[in-house]
Amino acid sequence: MLQLSAASQLRIEAFRKRVRGLSYAPMTEAELAQMPDRRRQGLANSAIEGIHLTPEEQAFLQMLDEERVPHDLRIGLATAFAM
């Protein structure tokens, strides 16, 4: 489990509430099973560019997995989270 500040935890939970208010088809078990590999590839590509995720960003992605948010919806949410 990642160690986050109280402010970061509140921010993650605010986004979780936002996600739960959206209408989407949750990822299937098979799609969810692909996420670790997709994440490894994305992190490797980011590392090449010198970009590394903060613990807060890692927790955000974990929350998206827990909520089974599909990939196409994650992009907009991640953009909003980065702002």
Side-chain angles (χ1 to χ4, degrees), residues 53-72:
L53 296 181
T54 66
E56 185 181 54
E57 292 165 334
Q58 291 174 33
F60 174 74
L61 293 176
Q62 182 179 346
M63 180 274 295
L64 293 178
D65 288 350
E66 292 166 0
E67 298 298 326
R68 296 175 174 252
V69 176
H71 181 72
D72 58 334

Side-chain angles (χ1 to χ4, degrees), residues 5-81:
S5 69
S8 290
Q9 290 174 2
L10 287 173
R11 188 164 182 242
I12 298 293
E13 290 310 311
F15 267 87
R16 184 184 306 275
K17 184 177 179 178
R18 182 175 175 178
V19 165
R20 288 182 175 173
L22 299 173
S23 176
Y24 63 91
M27 286 191 295
T28 64
E29 287 294 328
E31 292 167 329
L32 189 60
Q34 293 174 355
M35 290 311 295
D37 188 48
R38 289 182 82 162
R39 179 138 325 113
R40 275 191 296 277
Q41 290 174 16
L43 291 174
N45 290 338
S46 293
I48 290 169
E49 297 177 24
I51 300 167
H52 303 281
L53 296 181
T54 66
E56 185 181 54
E57 292 165 334
Q58 291 174 33
F60 174 74
L61 293 176
Q62 182 179 346
M63 180 274 295
L64 293 178
D65 288 350
E66 292 166 0
E67 298 298 326
R68 296 175 174 252
V69 176
H71 181 72
D72 58 334
L73 196 59
R74 288 173 183 243
I75 296 166
L77 290 167
T79 300
F81 188 78

